[in-house]
Amino acid sequence: MKKYVIGLDYGSDSVRAVLIDSQNGAELASEVFWYPRWKAQKYCDPAINQFRQHPLDHIEGLEHTVTSVMKQSEVSPETVKGICIDTTGSSPMPVTQDGTALACTEGFKENPNAMMVLWKDHTAVKEANEINDLARSWSGEDYTKYEGGIYSSEWFWAKILHVAREDKSVVDAAHTWMEHCDFITYLLADEKDLKEFKRSRCAAGHKAMWHESWGGLPDKEFLSQLHPYLADLKDNLYEETYTSDQIAGHLNKEWADKLGLTTDTVIAVGTFDAHAGAVGAKVDHHALVRVMGTSTCDIMVSSNEAVGDKTVKGICGQVDGSVIPGMVGLEAGQSAFGDVLAWFKDVLQWPMDNLVLNSKVLSEEQKADLKAEVESWFIRLLAEQAEAIPLSESVPIALDWVNGRRTPDANQELKSAISGISLGTKAPHIFKSLVNAICFGAKMIVDRFEEEGVKIETVIGIGGVARKSPFIMQTLANVLNMPIKVAESDQAPALGAAIYAAVAAGIYDNVIEASKVMGSDFEAEYFPQASQVEVYAQLLEAYKQLGNFVEEQTNKNT
């Protein structure tokens, strides 16, 4: 009998489900659901970097995508052996004592502080700084040392501390908090003891300062110095964590009925999207997997023997088992990658959206057609003209920090800047400078890994940017001075989640074995162009100089 598994990948804008043949990794069906409330930008305020999502977007998307792939594939429910969920992170949300998302209860359905705090929400910059100050002055264990030595406003404790100070009604009503990947897993599983529920090792280790060497989460005395609520909350969180090859439970009857599946289906422990994506792309020793979308996550694995007690400074954590059980997962990334180019596109489209599309001459149908037509070629045309600009021609220098800096050395207070603009600077020149900037940001991450003794021999790109933009990928190969392979799969994170599900369901003995059979092949490879590598190295120095100046000015003003 055929055995199938489902991977559910929750991104920033949508959730996608894939139904995978465990025998060969073939994708039988896939479906995407765009979050309607998020698309309407409800509960968000970009001016203060507030980005919240209503869990109903995720719950509705879960039902829609899974029932769709089952209908498309027409496979028997009994043949679906496992499901695994990956999500963005850190994206925590408050829940009640029975595990209901607080935002789904009376009195909190429209309260942004009761929503999921999306990874890119930076409202907790002040709180992150306090955590870092305390960690450095604290006489006990340095709880940030396995998270690069700098705690970020994008992470678990900083976000909860911010909400605790801003909205007492939320923390009074919440029994505990769950990462997005844990919440959706809990929703599906038949194991309903919140205290004993198997939480994600990946989420806890990279974002919540969990480490086995100090017995799990930070000490209550440490947490209480930040806020008494955090110390109390620890009692309602967890002590142990689990890797995603483990079983979190079986599909409960309520959701089995909704999805057209059986209660025999295994639910694997949840994980984060980038880490699952690395598994989907067959990550191995000395390979850096770049998950390139709105932001990037850069993932590596290393043996425990190679890493030992060494801590890599300025990254987003090193966690045993966060990618492949039995190996240390290393995470870095950029807070904005595709978002840098999307920002520029929005700036250039302002006249279209506010002048042309508000015209009384055009009908609504004509406006919709015009907008769709422009959307189809806007970035492509910019990229073509930017690519045609020779490196000998003056191009501005830009920073990629439009959403702060994740790594190396997290600092979400930093802003982007552009220098070297002249009367000859046109839109394609600025676009080229921004492409250069996101590639230079990647180079800084690679250099940090290598400075810290982590060897990189192969770079693998996954995600929409990797597959759709040869211009960016060729620029990246030139800046890194390394070949870059591009994974064939459109859905590498969902595929990686399906691989975890196959191991949890007992179809394979371990993640490495399953990944070799089910993982994505590669569709392209970009090689450095010798004539351009040296020029990009010179431009990188100008990027560093501008970055140092901006950081110095930011530090003076904070």
Side-chain angles (χ1 to χ4, degrees):
M1 184 176 69
K2 282 277 193 178
K3 296 179 180 179
Y4 303 103
V5 285
I6 292 174
L8 270 165
D9 171 40
Y10 281 86
S12 299
D13 302 320
S14 62
V15 55
R16 67 232 13 109
V18 295
L19 182 72
I20 301 293
D21 186 335
S22 65
Q23 188 174 2
N24 52 25
E27 181 184 298
L28 276 73
S30 67
E31 180 70 10
V32 176
F33 176 88
W34 299 89
Y35 310 137
R37 297 163 188 83
W38 170 254
K39 190 174 182 180
Q41 285 296 281
K42 288 189 171 185
Y43 321 115
C44 297
D45 185 352
I48 59 170
N49 291 312
Q50 176 180 299
F51 298 98
R52 310 290 167 85
Q53 288 187 341
H54 201 296
L56 283 178
D57 274 351
H58 311 133
I59 295 168
E60 292 165 6
L62 165 65
E63 185 169 359
H64 172 85
T65 56
V66 175
T67 55
S68 178
V69 296
M70 290 300 295
K71 184 177 180 179
Q72 290 175 47
S73 63
E74 298 182 336
V75 302
S76 170
E78 291 76 16
T79 62
V80 178
K81 299 301 180 182
I83 298 174
C84 182
I85 290 95
D86 75 71
T87 70
T88 65
S90 177
S91 298
M93 68 177 79
V95 300
T96 64
Q97 194 160 6
D98 66 357
T100 301
L102 187 62
C104 293
T105 65
E106 289 302 323
F108 295 97
K109 293 180 179 180
E110 299 297 321
N111 184 341
N113 291 318
M115 309 294 169
M116 188 190 83
V117 187
L118 188 63
W119 65 269
K120 68 192 288 184
D121 185 296
H122 291 164
T123 52
V125 168
K126 175 177 178 287
E127 287 76 13
N129 289 338
E130 290 179 34
I131 291 171
N132 286 314
D133 289 343
L134 178 59
R136 290 169 192 140
S137 62
W138 173 252
S139 60
E141 191 70 68
D142 178 4
Y143 294 116
T144 70
K145 70 179 181 181
Y146 290 107
E147 306 203 53
I150 302 174
Y151 202 75
S152 170
S153 64
E154 293 184 349
W155 298 348
F156 187 80
W157 292 109
K159 289 177 171 178
I160 296 171
L161 177 56
H162 178 77
V163 172
R165 287 174 171 166
E166 189 168 83
D167 198 331
K168 188 174 184 296
S169 69
V170 168
V171 297
D172 284 348
H175 173 71
T176 188
W177 288 69
M178 300 183 84
E179 280 286 354
H180 189 195
C181 64
D182 289 327
F183 173 76
I184 300 294
T185 302
Y186 177 84
L187 189 71
L188 293 180
D190 57 357
E191 298 292 336
K192 292 303 181 185
D193 184 335
L194 268 178
K195 184 66 175 175
E196 298 301 320
F197 184 73
K198 292 181 179 178
R199 306 281 191 120
S200 167
R201 169 76 56 85
C202 178
H206 284 287
K207 311 302 179 186
M209 296 188 285
W210 183 96
H211 198 269
E212 58 269 24
S213 68
W214 50 71
L217 294 169
D219 186 82
K220 287 183 71 170
E221 185 179 348
F222 175 88
L223 295 172
S224 67
Q225 291 197 32
L226 295 165
H227 197 292
Y229 173 71
L230 299 188
D232 293 340
L233 175 62
K234 182 182 177 181
D235 292 333
N236 292 332
L237 287 170
Y238 50 87
E239 296 175 3
E240 297 298 324
T241 62
Y242 299 84
T243 54
S244 291
D245 59 334
Q246 300 297 305
I247 298 173
H250 288 77
L251 186 60
N252 61 56
K253 188 174 187 313
E254 177 188 357
W255 276 96
D257 292 343
K258 285 182 180 180
L259 302 178
L261 294 170
T262 77
T263 55
D264 291 331
T265 301
V266 164
I267 306 299
V269 172
T271 190
F272 282 163
D273 49 4
H275 304 73
V279 169
K282 300 180 181 176
V283 67
D284 206 344
H285 288 86
H286 309 306
L288 175 70
V289 178
R290 304 208 79 224
V291 185
M292 292 183 278
T294 55
S295 67
T296 74
C297 278
D298 296 356
I299 304 294
M300 297 189 71
V301 295
S302 181
S303 67
N304 281 282
E305 294 74 22
V307 174
D309 294 330
K310 182 178 179 58
T311 55
V312 181
K313 296 177 182 177
I315 65 169
C316 301
Q318 53 195 82
V319 179
D320 186 11
S322 65
V323 182
I324 295 176
M327 300 182 74
V328 177
L330 303 162
E331 178 191 348
Q334 292 166 266
S335 291
F337 194 79
D339 264 356
V340 175
L341 308 181
W343 162 79
F344 188 53
K345 172 177 170 286
D346 288 345
V347 170
L348 294 184
Q349 267 194 225
W350 187 92
M352 169 70 72
D353 293 342
N354 290 275
L355 300 177
V356 178
L357 296 182
N358 279 332
S359 168
K360 295 180 180 179
V361 176
L362 300 176
S363 69
E364 291 304 316
E365 184 178 352
Q366 287 174 319
K367 291 177 185 178
D369 289 344
L370 180 59
K371 186 174 178 64
E373 183 181 351
V374 171
E375 288 277 351
S376 69
W377 53 255
F378 198 105
I379 289 291
R380 176 175 53 80
L381 184 59
L382 263 178
E384 287 174 359
Q385 294 194 16
E387 188 173 13
I389 298 172
L391 285 181
S392 59
E393 189 170 327
S394 178
V395 171
I397 295 296
L399 300 176
D400 53 311
W401 300 339
V402 296
N403 198 24
R405 184 180 65 205
R406 181 179 295 160
T407 52
D409 305 320
N411 187 341
Q412 304 306 157
E413 293 178 279
L414 294 175
K415 306 295 183 186
S416 182
I418 303 176
S419 70
I421 293 174
S422 71
L423 289 175
T425 303
K426 309 299 182 188
H429 293 82
I430 297 176
F431 186 83
K432 190 179 186 82
S433 76
L434 295 173
V435 170
N436 291 346
I438 59 179
C439 294
F440 292 149
K443 173 66 171 169
M444 299 297 286
I445 292 170
V446 168
D447 287 351
R448 175 58 61 88
F449 272 127
E450 295 191 329
E451 288 163 6
E452 292 287 309
V454 180
K455 188 177 181 182
I456 298 173
E457 295 177 347
T458 305
V459 179
I460 299 170
I462 66 175
V465 175
R467 298 199 70 212
K468 296 175 184 177
S469 182
F471 170 45
I472 294 176
M473 297 309 293
Q474 185 60 61
T475 303
L476 187 60
N478 290 334
V479 170
L480 297 183
N481 194 17
M482 289 182 178
I484 303 174
K485 296 178 181 178
V486 177
E488 183 178 61
S489 174
D490 265 333
Q491 310 288 5
L495 176 58
I499 290 170
Y500 285 130
V503 180
I507 300 171
Y508 291 95
D509 290 334
N510 58 69
V511 173
I512 293 176
E513 178 189 340
S515 180
K516 286 178 179 177
V517 176
M518 298 173 62
S520 175
D521 291 328
F522 303 104
E523 66 175 10
E525 188 166 6
Y526 295 86
F527 296 92
Q529 298 165 318
S531 63
Q532 300 200 28
V533 168
E534 185 175 342
V535 180
Y536 276 114
Q538 294 170 2
L539 293 173
L540 175 64
E541 292 306 310
Y543 168 90
K544 290 180 181 178
Q545 290 174 12
L546 179 59
N548 289 338
F549 173 78
V550 168
E551 190 159 9
E552 287 171 6
Q553 297 305 308
T554 301
N555 291 339
K556 285 179 183 178
N557 296 326
T558 56

